[in-house]
PDB file of all heavy atoms in Angstrom:
ATOM      1  N   VAL A  63       0.855  -1.192   0.000  1.00  0.00           N
ATOM      2  CA  VAL A  63       0.000   0.000   0.000  1.00  0.00           C
ATOM      3  C   VAL A  63       0.889   1.240   0.000  1.00  0.00           C
ATOM      4  O   VAL A  63       1.731   1.416   0.886  1.00  0.00           O
ATOM      5  CB  VAL A  63      -0.935   0.003   1.218  1.00  0.00           C
ATOM      6  CG1 VAL A  63      -1.710   1.311   1.274  1.00  0.00           C
ATOM      7  CG2 VAL A  63      -1.885  -1.193   1.176  1.00  0.00           C
ATOM      8  N   VAL A  64       0.702   2.098  -1.006  1.00  0.00           N
ATOM      9  CA  VAL A  64       1.514   3.315  -1.103  1.00  0.00           C
ATOM     10  C   VAL A  64       0.717   4.576  -0.736  1.00  0.00           C
ATOM     11  O   VAL A  64       1.311   5.606  -0.418  1.00  0.00           O
ATOM     12  CB  VAL A  64       2.125   3.472  -2.511  1.00  0.00           C
ATOM     13  CG1 VAL A  64       3.102   2.343  -2.790  1.00  0.00           C
ATOM     14  CG2 VAL A  64       1.054   3.529  -3.591  1.00  0.00           C
ATOM     15  N   ASP A  65      -0.622   4.497  -0.786  1.00  0.00           N
ATOM     16  CA  ASP A  65      -1.413   5.654  -0.387  1.00  0.00           C
ATOM     17  C   ASP A  65      -2.820   5.193  -0.035  1.00  0.00           C
ATOM     18  O   ASP A  65      -3.350   4.219  -0.600  1.00  0.00           O
ATOM     19  CB  ASP A  65      -1.479   6.704  -1.509  1.00  0.00           C
ATOM     20  CG  ASP A  65      -1.934   8.067  -0.998  1.00  0.00           C
ATOM     21  OD1 ASP A  65      -1.902   8.283   0.232  1.00  0.00           O
ATOM     22  OD2 ASP A  65      -2.328   8.905  -1.823  1.00  0.00           O
ATOM     23  N   ILE A  66      -3.430   5.909   0.913  1.00  0.00           N
ATOM     24  CA  ILE A  66      -4.814   5.673   1.324  1.00  0.00           C
ATOM     25  C   ILE A  66      -5.511   7.018   1.427  1.00  0.00           C
ATOM     26  O   ILE A  66      -4.941   7.979   1.947  1.00  0.00           O
ATOM     27  CB  ILE A  66      -4.893   4.954   2.682  1.00  0.00           C
ATOM     28  CG1 ILE A  66      -4.156   3.612   2.650  1.00  0.00           C
ATOM     29  CG2 ILE A  66      -6.347   4.748   3.105  1.00  0.00           C
ATOM     30  CD1 ILE A  66      -4.131   2.919   4.000  1.00  0.00           C
ATOM     31  N   TYR A  67      -6.739   7.075   0.906  1.00  0.00           N
ATOM     32  CA  TYR A  67      -7.526   8.295   1.070  1.00  0.00           C
ATOM     33  C   TYR A  67      -8.937   7.900   1.480  1.00  0.00           C
ATOM     34  O   TYR A  67      -9.517   6.957   0.923  1.00  0.00           O
ATOM     35  CB  TYR A  67      -7.574   9.115  -0.220  1.00  0.00           C
ATOM     36  CG  TYR A  67      -8.085  10.527   0.012  1.00  0.00           C
ATOM     37  CD1 TYR A  67      -7.213  11.552   0.344  1.00  0.00           C
ATOM     38  CD2 TYR A  67      -9.443  10.815  -0.052  1.00  0.00           C
ATOM     39  CE1 TYR A  67      -7.664  12.838   0.592  1.00  0.00           C
ATOM     40  CE2 TYR A  67      -9.912  12.104   0.195  1.00  0.00           C
ATOM     41  CZ  TYR A  67      -9.016  13.102   0.519  1.00  0.00           C
ATOM     42  OH  TYR A  67      -9.466  14.374   0.773  1.00  0.00           O
ATOM     43  N   ALA A  68      -9.496   8.610   2.459  1.00  0.00           N
ATOM     44  CA  ALA A  68     -10.848   8.321   2.934  1.00  0.00           C
ATOM     45  C   ALA A  68     -11.674   9.594   2.938  1.00  0.00           C
ATOM     46  O   ALA A  68     -11.160  10.684   3.210  1.00  0.00           O
ATOM     47  CB  ALA A  68     -10.800   7.720   4.337  1.00  0.00           C
ATOM     48  N   LEU A  69     -12.951   9.450   2.615  1.00  0.00           N
ATOM     49  CA  LEU A  69     -13.867  10.585   2.706  1.00  0.00           C
ATOM     50  C   LEU A  69     -15.260  10.079   3.015  1.00  0.00           C
ATOM     51  O   LEU A  69     -15.604   8.922   2.724  1.00  0.00           O
ATOM     52  CB  LEU A  69     -13.873  11.425   1.424  1.00  0.00           C
ATOM     53  CG  LEU A  69     -14.546  10.863   0.174  1.00  0.00           C
ATOM     54  CD1 LEU A  69     -14.917  12.015  -0.757  1.00  0.00           C
ATOM     55  CD2 LEU A  69     -13.636   9.902  -0.564  1.00  0.00           C
ATOM     56  N   ASP A  70     -16.066  10.957   3.622  1.00  0.00           N
ATOM     57  CA  ASP A  70     -17.450  10.621   3.945  1.00  0.00           C
ATOM     58  C   ASP A  70     -18.335  11.016   2.770  1.00  0.00           C
ATOM     59  O   ASP A  70     -18.224  12.139   2.248  1.00  0.00           O
ATOM     60  CB  ASP A  70     -17.902  11.356   5.203  1.00  0.00           C
ATOM     61  CG  ASP A  70     -17.175  10.871   6.439  1.00  0.00           C
ATOM     62  OD1 ASP A  70     -16.782   9.693   6.456  1.00  0.00           O
ATOM     63  OD2 ASP A  70     -16.989  11.675   7.372  1.00  0.00           O
ATOM     64  N   ILE A  71     -19.214  10.122   2.368  1.00  0.00           N
ATOM     65  CA  ILE A  71     -20.111  10.395   1.247  1.00  0.00           C
ATOM     66  C   ILE A  71     -21.548  10.122   1.673  1.00  0.00           C
ATOM     67  O   ILE A  71     -21.811   9.342   2.584  1.00  0.00           O
ATOM     68  CB  ILE A  71     -19.759   9.549   0.008  1.00  0.00           C
ATOM     69  CG1 ILE A  71     -20.023   8.064   0.264  1.00  0.00           C
ATOM     70  CG2 ILE A  71     -18.309   9.769  -0.409  1.00  0.00           C
ATOM     71  CD1 ILE A  71     -20.032   7.219  -0.980  1.00  0.00           C
ATOM     72  N   GLY A  72     -22.473  10.775   0.992  1.00  0.00           N
ATOM     73  CA  GLY A  72     -23.887  10.500   1.184  1.00  0.00           C
ATOM     74  C   GLY A  72     -24.457   9.927  -0.101  1.00  0.00           C
ATOM     75  O   GLY A  72     -24.136  10.398  -1.192  1.00  0.00           O
ATOM     76  N   ILE A  73     -25.291   8.921   0.023  1.00  0.00           N
ATOM     77  CA  ILE A  73     -25.963   8.343  -1.143  1.00  0.00           C
ATOM     78  C   ILE A  73     -27.292   9.066  -1.315  1.00  0.00           C
ATOM     79  O   ILE A  73     -28.178   8.980  -0.448  1.00  0.00           O
ATOM     80  CB  ILE A  73     -26.167   6.829  -0.966  1.00  0.00           C
ATOM     81  CG1 ILE A  73     -24.813   6.133  -0.848  1.00  0.00           C
ATOM     82  CG2 ILE A  73     -26.970   6.250  -2.134  1.00  0.00           C
ATOM     83  CD1 ILE A  73     -24.903   4.634  -0.563  1.00  0.00           C
ATOM     84  N   ARG A  74     -27.401   9.809  -2.389  1.00  0.00           N
ATOM     85  CA  ARG A  74     -28.627  10.566  -2.646  1.00  0.00           C
ATOM     86  C   ARG A  74     -28.661  11.012  -4.098  1.00  0.00           C
ATOM     87  O   ARG A  74     -27.640  11.030  -4.787  1.00  0.00           O
ATOM     88  CB  ARG A  74     -28.745  11.755  -1.696  1.00  0.00           C
ATOM     89  CG  ARG A  74     -27.643  12.805  -1.857  1.00  0.00           C
ATOM     90  CD  ARG A  74     -28.171  13.983  -2.626  1.00  0.00           C
ATOM     91  NE  ARG A  74     -27.162  15.013  -2.835  1.00  0.00           N
ATOM     92  CZ  ARG A  74     -26.425  15.093  -3.930  1.00  0.00           C
ATOM     93  NH1 ARG A  74     -26.535  14.182  -4.880  1.00  0.00           N
ATOM     94  NH2 ARG A  74     -25.553  16.077  -4.087  1.00  0.00           N
ATOM     95  N   THR A  75     -29.833  11.386  -4.574  1.00  0.00           N
ATOM     96  CA  THR A  75     -29.985  11.935  -5.920  1.00  0.00           C
ATOM     97  C   THR A  75     -30.721  13.258  -5.842  1.00  0.00           C
ATOM     98  O   THR A  75     -31.528  13.492  -4.933  1.00  0.00           O
ATOM     99  CB  THR A  75     -30.763  10.982  -6.846  1.00  0.00           C
ATOM    100  OG1 THR A  75     -32.077  10.758  -6.305  1.00  0.00           O
ATOM    101  CG2 THR A  75     -30.044   9.650  -7.004  1.00  0.00           C
ATOM    102  N   VAL A  76     -30.426  14.132  -6.789  1.00  0.00           N
ATOM    103  CA  VAL A  76     -31.123  15.415  -6.936  1.00  0.00           C
ATOM    104  C   VAL A  76     -31.564  15.527  -8.383  1.00  0.00           C
ATOM    105  O   VAL A  76     -30.779  15.240  -9.301  1.00  0.00           O
ATOM    106  CB  VAL A  76     -30.213  16.608  -6.575  1.00  0.00           C
ATOM    107  CG1 VAL A  76     -30.977  17.924  -6.731  1.00  0.00           C
ATOM    108  CG2 VAL A  76     -29.682  16.475  -5.161  1.00  0.00           C
ATOM    109  N   ALA A  77     -32.795  15.944  -8.594  1.00  0.00           N
ATOM    110  CA  ALA A  77     -33.306  16.069  -9.959  1.00  0.00           C
ATOM    111  C   ALA A  77     -34.395  17.131  -9.992  1.00  0.00           C
ATOM    112  O   ALA A  77     -34.937  17.529  -8.950  1.00  0.00           O
ATOM    113  CB  ALA A  77     -33.852  14.739 -10.466  1.00  0.00           C
ATOM    114  N   VAL A  78     -34.701  17.601 -11.192  1.00  0.00           N
ATOM    115  CA  VAL A  78     -35.812  18.520 -11.425  1.00  0.00           C
ATOM    116  C   VAL A  78     -36.810  17.817 -12.330  1.00  0.00           C
ATOM    117  O   VAL A  78     -36.445  17.283 -13.385  1.00  0.00           O
ATOM    118  CB  VAL A  78     -35.333  19.827 -12.067  1.00  0.00           C
ATOM    119  CG1 VAL A  78     -36.527  20.684 -12.494  1.00  0.00           C
ATOM    120  CG2 VAL A  78     -34.453  20.606 -11.101  1.00  0.00           C
ATOM    121  N   ARG A  79     -38.063  17.798 -11.910  1.00  0.00           N
ATOM    122  CA  ARG A  79     -39.133  17.229 -12.727  1.00  0.00           C
ATOM    123  C   ARG A  79     -40.299  18.199 -12.734  1.00  0.00           C
ATOM    124  O   ARG A  79     -40.884  18.488 -11.692  1.00  0.00           O
ATOM    125  CB  ARG A  79     -39.586  15.877 -12.172  1.00  0.00           C
ATOM    126  CG  ARG A  79     -40.669  15.186 -13.035  1.00  0.00           C
ATOM    127  CD  ARG A  79     -41.040  13.844 -12.448  1.00  0.00           C
ATOM    128  NE  ARG A  79     -41.668  14.027 -11.133  1.00  0.00           N
ATOM    129  CZ  ARG A  79     -41.796  13.045 -10.232  1.00  0.00           C
ATOM    130  NH1 ARG A  79     -41.312  11.846 -10.500  1.00  0.00           N
ATOM    131  NH2 ARG A  79     -42.383  13.288  -9.076  1.00  0.00           N
ATOM    132  N   GLY A  80     -40.584  18.759 -13.920  1.00  0.00           N
ATOM    133  CA  GLY A  80     -41.636  19.760 -13.996  1.00  0.00           C
ATOM    134  C   GLY A  80     -41.292  20.959 -13.146  1.00  0.00           C
ATOM    135  O   GLY A  80     -40.221  21.561 -13.306  1.00  0.00           O
ATOM    136  N   ASP A  81     -42.183  21.298 -12.226  1.00  0.00           N
ATOM    137  CA  ASP A  81     -41.910  22.445 -11.347  1.00  0.00           C
ATOM    138  C   ASP A  81     -41.557  22.002  -9.928  1.00  0.00           C
ATOM    139  O   ASP A  81     -41.799  22.708  -8.959  1.00  0.00           O
ATOM    140  CB  ASP A  81     -43.101  23.416 -11.327  1.00  0.00           C
ATOM    141  CG  ASP A  81     -44.423  22.737 -10.980  1.00  0.00           C
ATOM    142  OD1 ASP A  81     -44.387  21.647 -10.369  1.00  0.00           O
ATOM    143  OD2 ASP A  81     -45.481  23.288 -11.318  1.00  0.00           O
ATOM    144  N   GLN A  82     -40.943  20.818  -9.821  1.00  0.00           N
ATOM    145  CA  GLN A  82     -40.527  20.312  -8.518  1.00  0.00           C
ATOM    146  C   GLN A  82     -39.042  19.983  -8.502  1.00  0.00           C
ATOM    147  O   GLN A  82     -38.472  19.562  -9.516  1.00  0.00           O
ATOM    148  CB  GLN A  82     -41.314  19.044  -8.150  1.00  0.00           C
ATOM    149  CG  GLN A  82     -42.801  19.261  -7.945  1.00  0.00           C
ATOM    150  CD  GLN A  82     -43.511  17.964  -7.600  1.00  0.00           C
ATOM    151  OE1 GLN A  82     -43.197  16.909  -8.151  1.00  0.00           O
ATOM    152  NE2 GLN A  82     -44.466  18.045  -6.684  1.00  0.00           N
ATOM    153  N   ILE A  83     -38.414  20.193  -7.338  1.00  0.00           N
ATOM    154  CA  ILE A  83     -37.073  19.682  -7.078  1.00  0.00           C
ATOM    155  C   ILE A  83     -37.230  18.386  -6.299  1.00  0.00           C
ATOM    156  O   ILE A  83     -37.966  18.332  -5.300  1.00  0.00           O
ATOM    157  CB  ILE A  83     -36.239  20.692  -6.274  1.00  0.00           C
ATOM    158  CG1 ILE A  83     -36.075  21.994  -7.066  1.00  0.00           C
ATOM    159  CG2 ILE A  83     -34.871  20.116  -5.939  1.00  0.00           C
ATOM    160  CD1 ILE A  83     -35.389  23.095  -6.276  1.00  0.00           C
ATOM    161  N   LEU A  84     -36.559  17.332  -6.767  1.00  0.00           N
ATOM    162  CA  LEU A  84     -36.682  16.022  -6.144  1.00  0.00           C
ATOM    163  C   LEU A  84     -35.378  15.649  -5.450  1.00  0.00           C
ATOM    164  O   LEU A  84     -34.304  15.721  -6.042  1.00  0.00           O
ATOM    165  CB  LEU A  84     -37.010  14.958  -7.189  1.00  0.00           C
ATOM    166  CG  LEU A  84     -38.233  15.201  -8.082  1.00  0.00           C
ATOM    167  CD1 LEU A  84     -38.411  14.041  -9.051  1.00  0.00           C
ATOM    168  CD2 LEU A  84     -39.498  15.388  -7.242  1.00  0.00           C
ATOM    169  N   LEU A  85     -35.487  15.264  -4.191  1.00  0.00           N
ATOM    170  CA  LEU A  85     -34.369  14.691  -3.447  1.00  0.00           C
ATOM    171  C   LEU A  85     -34.704  13.228  -3.199  1.00  0.00           C
ATOM    172  O   LEU A  85     -35.731  12.919  -2.583  1.00  0.00           O
ATOM    173  CB  LEU A  85     -34.162  15.431  -2.120  1.00  0.00           C
ATOM    174  CG  LEU A  85     -33.009  14.930  -1.254  1.00  0.00           C
ATOM    175  CD1 LEU A  85     -31.667  15.222  -1.910  1.00  0.00           C
ATOM    176  CD2 LEU A  85     -33.065  15.533   0.144  1.00  0.00           C
ATOM    177  N   ASN A  86     -33.877  12.336  -3.730  1.00  0.00           N
ATOM    178  CA  ASN A  86     -34.137  10.900  -3.637  1.00  0.00           C
ATOM    179  C   ASN A  86     -35.507  10.538  -4.219  1.00  0.00           C
ATOM    180  O   ASN A  86     -36.219   9.661  -3.716  1.00  0.00           O
ATOM    181  CB  ASN A  86     -34.029  10.413  -2.190  1.00  0.00           C
ATOM    182  CG  ASN A  86     -32.672  10.689  -1.590  1.00  0.00           C
ATOM    183  OD1 ASN A  86     -31.657  10.673  -2.288  1.00  0.00           O
ATOM    184  ND2 ASN A  86     -32.632  10.970  -0.293  1.00  0.00           N
ATOM    185  N   GLY A  87     -35.866  11.252  -5.282  1.00  0.00           N
ATOM    186  CA  GLY A  87     -37.114  10.974  -5.984  1.00  0.00           C
ATOM    187  C   GLY A  87     -38.345  11.599  -5.374  1.00  0.00           C
ATOM    188  O   GLY A  87     -39.447  11.467  -5.931  1.00  0.00           O
ATOM    189  N   GLN A  88     -38.222  12.313  -4.259  1.00  0.00           N
ATOM    190  CA  GLN A  88     -39.361  12.905  -3.571  1.00  0.00           C
ATOM    191  C   GLN A  88     -39.275  14.429  -3.607  1.00  0.00           C
ATOM    192  O   GLN A  88     -38.189  14.995  -3.445  1.00  0.00           O
ATOM    193  CB  GLN A  88     -39.418  12.436  -2.118  1.00  0.00           C
ATOM    194  CG  GLN A  88     -39.555  10.925  -1.961  1.00  0.00           C
ATOM    195  CD  GLN A  88     -40.818  10.393  -2.602  1.00  0.00           C
ATOM    196  OE1 GLN A  88     -41.907  10.957  -2.420  1.00  0.00           O
ATOM    197  NE2 GLN A  88     -40.685   9.306  -3.365  1.00  0.00           N
ATOM    198  N   PRO A  89     -40.423  15.116  -3.803  1.00  0.00           N
ATOM    199  CA  PRO A  89     -40.393  16.590  -3.838  1.00  0.00           C
ATOM    200  C   PRO A  89     -39.905  17.157  -2.510  1.00  0.00           C
ATOM    201  O   PRO A  89     -40.211  16.637  -1.437  1.00  0.00           O
ATOM    202  CB  PRO A  89     -41.857  16.971  -4.090  1.00  0.00           C
ATOM    203  CG  PRO A  89     -42.490  15.746  -4.656  1.00  0.00           C
ATOM    204  CD  PRO A  89     -41.776  14.579  -4.039  1.00  0.00           C
ATOM    205  N   ILE A  90     -39.128  18.233  -2.623  1.00  0.00           N
ATOM    206  CA  ILE A  90     -38.638  18.907  -1.426  1.00  0.00           C
ATOM    207  C   ILE A  90     -38.765  20.407  -1.621  1.00  0.00           C
ATOM    208  O   ILE A  90     -38.611  20.919  -2.733  1.00  0.00           O
ATOM    209  CB  ILE A  90     -37.172  18.519  -1.122  1.00  0.00           C
ATOM    210  CG1 ILE A  90     -36.762  19.057   0.254  1.00  0.00           C
ATOM    211  CG2 ILE A  90     -36.224  18.998  -2.206  1.00  0.00           C
ATOM    212  CD1 ILE A  90     -35.480  18.446   0.789  1.00  0.00           C
ATOM    213  N   LYS A  91     -39.085  21.109  -0.545  1.00  0.00           N
ATOM    214  CA  LYS A  91     -39.162  22.562  -0.566  1.00  0.00           C
ATOM    215  C   LYS A  91     -38.099  23.117   0.383  1.00  0.00           C
ATOM    216  O   LYS A  91     -37.959  22.640   1.520  1.00  0.00           O
ATOM    217  CB  LYS A  91     -40.554  23.058  -0.167  1.00  0.00           C
ATOM    218  CG  LYS A  91     -41.636  22.713  -1.204  1.00  0.00           C
ATOM    219  CD  LYS A  91     -42.944  23.344  -0.864  1.00  0.00           C
ATOM    220  CE  LYS A  91     -44.029  22.967  -1.878  1.00  0.00           C
ATOM    221  NZ  LYS A  91     -43.798  23.580  -3.197  1.00  0.00           N
ATOM    222  N   LEU A  92     -37.365  24.110  -0.091  1.00  0.00           N
ATOM    223  CA  LEU A  92     -36.282  24.679   0.689  1.00  0.00           C
ATOM    224  C   LEU A  92     -36.808  25.775   1.605  1.00  0.00           C
ATOM    225  O   LEU A  92     -37.524  26.685   1.166  1.00  0.00           O
ATOM    226  CB  LEU A  92     -35.201  25.256  -0.229  1.00  0.00           C
ATOM    227  CG  LEU A  92     -34.612  24.318  -1.285  1.00  0.00           C
ATOM    228  CD1 LEU A  92     -33.434  24.985  -1.984  1.00  0.00           C
ATOM    229  CD2 LEU A  92     -34.187  22.990  -0.688  1.00  0.00           C
ATOM    230  N   THR A  93     -36.447  25.696   2.864  1.00  0.00           N
ATOM    231  CA  THR A  93     -36.704  26.774   3.820  1.00  0.00           C
ATOM    232  C   THR A  93     -35.355  27.198   4.393  1.00  0.00           C
ATOM    233  O   THR A  93     -34.560  26.348   4.793  1.00  0.00           O
ATOM    234  CB  THR A  93     -37.618  26.302   4.960  1.00  0.00           C
ATOM    235  OG1 THR A  93     -37.010  25.191   5.632  1.00  0.00           O
ATOM    236  CG2 THR A  93     -38.979  25.879   4.431  1.00  0.00           C
ATOM    237  N   GLY A  94     -35.095  28.489   4.380  1.00  0.00           N
ATOM    238  CA  GLY A  94     -33.798  28.912   4.903  1.00  0.00           C
ATOM    239  C   GLY A  94     -33.464  30.335   4.563  1.00  0.00           C
ATOM    240  O   GLY A  94     -34.340  31.206   4.536  1.00  0.00           O
ATOM    241  N   PHE A  95     -32.179  30.551   4.230  1.00  0.00           N
ATOM    242  CA  PHE A  95     -31.658  31.907   4.199  1.00  0.00           C
ATOM    243  C   PHE A  95     -30.590  32.088   3.127  1.00  0.00           C
ATOM    244  O   PHE A  95     -29.948  31.130   2.691  1.00  0.00           O
ATOM    245  CB  PHE A  95     -31.010  32.255   5.547  1.00  0.00           C
ATOM    246  CG  PHE A  95     -31.939  32.198   6.712  1.00  0.00           C
ATOM    247  CD1 PHE A  95     -32.087  31.034   7.439  1.00  0.00           C
ATOM    248  CD2 PHE A  95     -32.688  33.310   7.061  1.00  0.00           C
ATOM    249  CE1 PHE A  95     -32.941  30.972   8.517  1.00  0.00           C
ATOM    250  CE2 PHE A  95     -33.558  33.263   8.140  1.00  0.00           C
ATOM    251  CZ  PHE A  95     -33.695  32.086   8.872  1.00  0.00           C
ATOM    252  N   GLY A  96     -30.361  33.326   2.769  1.00  0.00           N
ATOM    253  CA  GLY A  96     -29.083  33.769   2.273  1.00  0.00           C
ATOM    254  C   GLY A  96     -28.249  34.198   3.468  1.00  0.00           C
ATOM    255  O   GLY A  96     -28.774  34.686   4.472  1.00  0.00           O
ATOM    256  N   LYS A  97     -26.923  33.996   3.360  1.00  0.00           N
ATOM    257  CA  LYS A  97     -26.043  34.280   4.498  1.00  0.00           C
ATOM    258  C   LYS A  97     -24.851  35.102   4.037  1.00  0.00           C
ATOM    259  O   LYS A  97     -24.658  35.324   2.853  1.00  0.00           O
ATOM    260  CB  LYS A  97     -25.502  32.981   5.116  1.00  0.00           C
ATOM    261  CG  LYS A  97     -26.521  32.153   5.884  1.00  0.00           C
ATOM    262  CD  LYS A  97     -25.857  30.898   6.457  1.00  0.00           C
ATOM    263  CE  LYS A  97     -25.343  31.113   7.864  1.00  0.00           C
ATOM    264  NZ  LYS A  97     -24.163  31.937   8.016  1.00  0.00           N
ATOM    265  N   HIS A  98     -24.052  35.493   4.994  1.00  0.00           N
ATOM    266  CA  HIS A  98     -22.716  36.018   4.719  1.00  0.00           C
ATOM    267  C   HIS A  98     -21.746  35.443   5.731  1.00  0.00           C
ATOM    268  O   HIS A  98     -22.112  35.128   6.869  1.00  0.00           O
ATOM    269  CB  HIS A  98     -22.676  37.547   4.784  1.00  0.00           C
ATOM    270  CG  HIS A  98     -22.914  38.206   3.471  1.00  0.00           C
ATOM    271  ND1 HIS A  98     -22.070  38.047   2.394  1.00  0.00           N
ATOM    272  CD2 HIS A  98     -23.920  39.011   3.038  1.00  0.00           C
ATOM    273  CE1 HIS A  98     -22.532  38.734   1.365  1.00  0.00           C
ATOM    274  NE2 HIS A  98     -23.653  39.315   1.727  1.00  0.00           N
ATOM    275  N   GLU A  99     -20.510  35.293   5.277  1.00  0.00           N
ATOM    276  CA  GLU A  99     -19.420  34.907   6.167  1.00  0.00           C
ATOM    277  C   GLU A  99     -18.859  36.209   6.723  1.00  0.00           C
ATOM    278  O   GLU A  99     -18.018  36.855   6.113  1.00  0.00           O
ATOM    279  CB  GLU A  99     -18.372  34.124   5.370  1.00  0.00           C
ATOM    280  CG  GLU A  99     -17.454  33.291   6.223  1.00  0.00           C
ATOM    281  CD  GLU A  99     -16.472  32.495   5.383  1.00  0.00           C
ATOM    282  OE1 GLU A  99     -16.526  32.577   4.141  1.00  0.00           O
ATOM    283  OE2 GLU A  99     -15.642  31.805   5.983  1.00  0.00           O
ATOM    284  N   ASP A 100     -19.352  36.604   7.898  1.00  0.00           N
ATOM    285  CA  ASP A 100     -19.097  37.954   8.394  1.00  0.00           C
ATOM    286  C   ASP A 100     -19.248  37.945   9.912  1.00  0.00           C
ATOM    287  O   ASP A 100     -20.278  37.518  10.440  1.00  0.00           O
ATOM    288  CB  ASP A 100     -20.121  38.920   7.761  1.00  0.00           C
ATOM    289  CG  ASP A 100     -20.130  40.283   8.413  1.00  0.00           C
ATOM    290  OD1 ASP A 100     -20.806  40.446   9.449  1.00  0.00           O
ATOM    291  OD2 ASP A 100     -19.486  41.194   7.872  1.00  0.00           O
ATOM    292  N   PHE A 101     -18.195  38.406  10.595  1.00  0.00           N
ATOM    293  CA  PHE A 101     -18.306  38.532  12.038  1.00  0.00           C
ATOM    294  C   PHE A 101     -17.286  39.558  12.508  1.00  0.00           C
ATOM    295  O   PHE A 101     -16.263  39.785  11.858  1.00  0.00           O
ATOM    296  CB  PHE A 101     -18.060  37.188  12.735  1.00  0.00           C
ATOM    297  CG  PHE A 101     -18.715  37.097  14.086  1.00  0.00           C
ATOM    298  CD1 PHE A 101     -20.089  37.004  14.201  1.00  0.00           C
ATOM    299  CD2 PHE A 101     -17.966  37.116  15.249  1.00  0.00           C
ATOM    300  CE1 PHE A 101     -20.704  36.918  15.449  1.00  0.00           C
ATOM    301  CE2 PHE A 101     -18.551  37.041  16.497  1.00  0.00           C
ATOM    302  CZ  PHE A 101     -19.938  36.937  16.597  1.00  0.00           C
ATOM    303  N   ALA A 102     -17.573  40.174  13.662  1.00  0.00           N
ATOM    304  CA  ALA A 102     -16.692  41.203  14.202  1.00  0.00           C
ATOM    305  C   ALA A 102     -15.289  40.654  14.430  1.00  0.00           C
ATOM    306  O   ALA A 102     -15.110  39.515  14.856  1.00  0.00           O
ATOM    307  CB  ALA A 102     -17.263  41.740  15.508  1.00  0.00           C
ATOM    308  N   LEU A 103     -14.286  41.452  14.117  1.00  0.00           N
ATOM    309  CA  LEU A 103     -12.859  41.191  14.278  1.00  0.00           C
ATOM    310  C   LEU A 103     -12.328  40.186  13.266  1.00  0.00           C
ATOM    311  O   LEU A 103     -11.332  40.457  12.598  1.00  0.00           O
ATOM    312  CB  LEU A 103     -12.529  40.725  15.703  1.00  0.00           C
ATOM    313  CG  LEU A 103     -12.800  41.738  16.811  1.00  0.00           C
ATOM    314  CD1 LEU A 103     -12.353  41.184  18.157  1.00  0.00           C
ATOM    315  CD2 LEU A 103     -12.114  43.059  16.534  1.00  0.00           C
ATOM    316  N   SER A 104     -12.948  39.030  13.113  1.00  0.00           N
ATOM    317  CA  SER A 104     -12.427  38.061  12.148  1.00  0.00           C
ATOM    318  C   SER A 104     -12.848  38.381  10.723  1.00  0.00           C
ATOM    319  O   SER A 104     -12.273  37.849   9.774  1.00  0.00           O
ATOM    320  CB  SER A 104     -12.874  36.642  12.513  1.00  0.00           C
ATOM    321  OG  SER A 104     -14.284  36.556  12.572  1.00  0.00           O
ATOM    322  N   GLY A 105     -13.860  39.260  10.545  1.00  0.00           N
ATOM    323  CA  GLY A 105     -14.288  39.639   9.201  1.00  0.00           C
ATOM    324  C   GLY A 105     -14.813  38.443   8.441  1.00  0.00           C
ATOM    325  O   GLY A 105     -15.759  37.777   8.871  1.00  0.00           O
TER     326      GLY A 105
END
């Protein structure tokens, strides 16, 4: 063995069908925000 690499993965699919976004084949609606990477002193 000369090299090893490991990473965490998720098994899932994303698709668009008509006017729906599908996650794992099921419609999903997003609730949330726009954000900024912004804080006092650290900028």
Side-chain angles (χ1 to χ4, degrees):
V63 174
V64 295
D65 197 16
I66 302 176
Y67 194 89
L69 73 158
D70 293 331
I71 67 166
I73 298 176
R74 64 102 181 95
T75 60
V76 180
V78 171
R79 183 178 65 197
D81 53 22
Q82 295 179 321
I83 298 174
L84 306 180
L85 181 68
N86 302 327
Q88 300 300 314
I90 189 166
K91 292 187 182 291
L92 306 187
T93 58
F95 299 91
K97 289 180 92 287
H98 268 297
E99 199 178 359
D100 168 276
F101 205 71
L103 296 183
S104 58

